[in-house]
Amino acid sequence: FKLLYSSPVKVRQVIYGKFLAMMGYCLSLVGVLFLFVIAGASIVPHFGYAHMAVALLGIYLLLCAYSAIGLFMSCLTSYQVVAAISTFAVFAFLAYVGSWWQDVDFVRDLTYNISMTNQVYNMIDGLLTTRDLFYFITIIFLFLGLAIFKLRMAREVKPFLYQAMVYALIPVFAVVAGYCTSRPGFIGY
């Protein structure tokens, strides 16, 4: 990190560069799955190309979201084991939050929209909606924004109130964007 901080690149460029490398790696993983899709398409008559394309896109977006979460968690600590455990804790939270408090209408809608697995299952089932796309884009930019801000605050000193306000505004912006894009009138299918 000392060499990185003394280099002429910005923190934002470091985070985006790491994330782009992870996106390329995730694309290679999805490329392997694409080979199986090609094999299935050559054997199965009346193959559902659109369904498989949406499912592969969902898996790719999930991997990119996981990469962004892992990148942020690795910015929080210098210990790799702690970063891995905290990353898996966030994964578990985002996977299981959709099953909590299902008897309250407002909370049920909120936890369903926060749950990452619900968004992926829709895409794996072949349903492509703008709500699911914006969900993953919002999650990715939320954690990338938090990572950029965390590394920027490690480099320069700002008042605690400023730091707390930015750490609160980034998730609030993500929640507002997620809420607006999940309204029934704004969902495209």
Side-chain angles (χ1 to χ4, degrees):
F1 275 113
K2 290 180 183 182
L3 288 174
L4 200 57
Y5 286 147
S6 64
S7 67
V9 296
K10 297 178 182 174
V11 171
R12 181 185 54 211
Q13 293 171 330
V14 171
I15 295 295
Y16 289 151
K18 287 177 122 181
F19 183 68
L20 283 175
M22 286 189 245
M23 284 178 63
Y25 179 71
C26 293
L27 189 62
S28 68
L29 293 175
V30 172
V32 171
L33 291 175
F34 183 69
L35 294 175
F36 288 104
V37 169
I38 290 174
S42 65
I43 296 170
V44 176
H46 308 293
F47 188 76
Y49 293 102
H51 183 153
M52 285 296 120
V54 170
L56 288 176
L57 177 65
I59 292 169
Y60 179 69
L61 290 174
L62 178 69
L63 290 173
C64 289
Y66 281 171
S67 298
I69 292 168
L71 185 61
F72 171 64
M73 291 299 160
S74 69
C75 290
L76 291 179
T77 181
S78 60
Y79 299 107
Q80 293 177 353
V81 174
V82 174
I85 291 171
S86 59
T87 300
F88 287 130
V90 172
F91 291 169
F93 172 77
L94 290 174
Y96 296 116
V97 71
S99 62
W100 298 345
W101 303 299
Q102 294 298 301
D103 53 342
V104 180
D105 290 336
F106 174 74
V107 176
R108 180 179 53 238
D109 293 340
L110 183 65
T111 57
Y112 179 82
N113 288 327
I114 293 174
S115 176
M116 191 174 284
T117 54
N118 292 332
Q119 316 301 329
V120 170
Y121 287 150
N122 287 341
M123 295 180 85
I124 289 175
D125 288 340
L127 179 63
L128 180 63
T129 65
T130 56
R131 177 184 64 194
D132 297 335
L133 289 175
F134 282 121
Y135 171 81
F136 285 110
I137 291 169
T138 303
I139 290 291
I140 289 168
F141 280 111
L142 166 69
F143 284 100
L144 289 180
L146 289 172
I148 290 169
F149 184 72
K150 169 64 174 114
L151 290 182
R152 190 174 289 157
M153 289 302 104
R155 183 184 263 186
E156 54 193 51
V157 177
K158 295 285 184 179
F160 175 76
L161 186 60
Y162 173 80
Q163 291 181 12
M165 190 171 66
V166 172
Y167 273 124
L169 282 179
I170 292 173
V172 164
F173 175 74
V175 167
V176 168
Y179 178 78
C180 291
T181 58
S182 69
R183 296 295 84 207
F186 298 117
I187 298 175
Y189 295 90

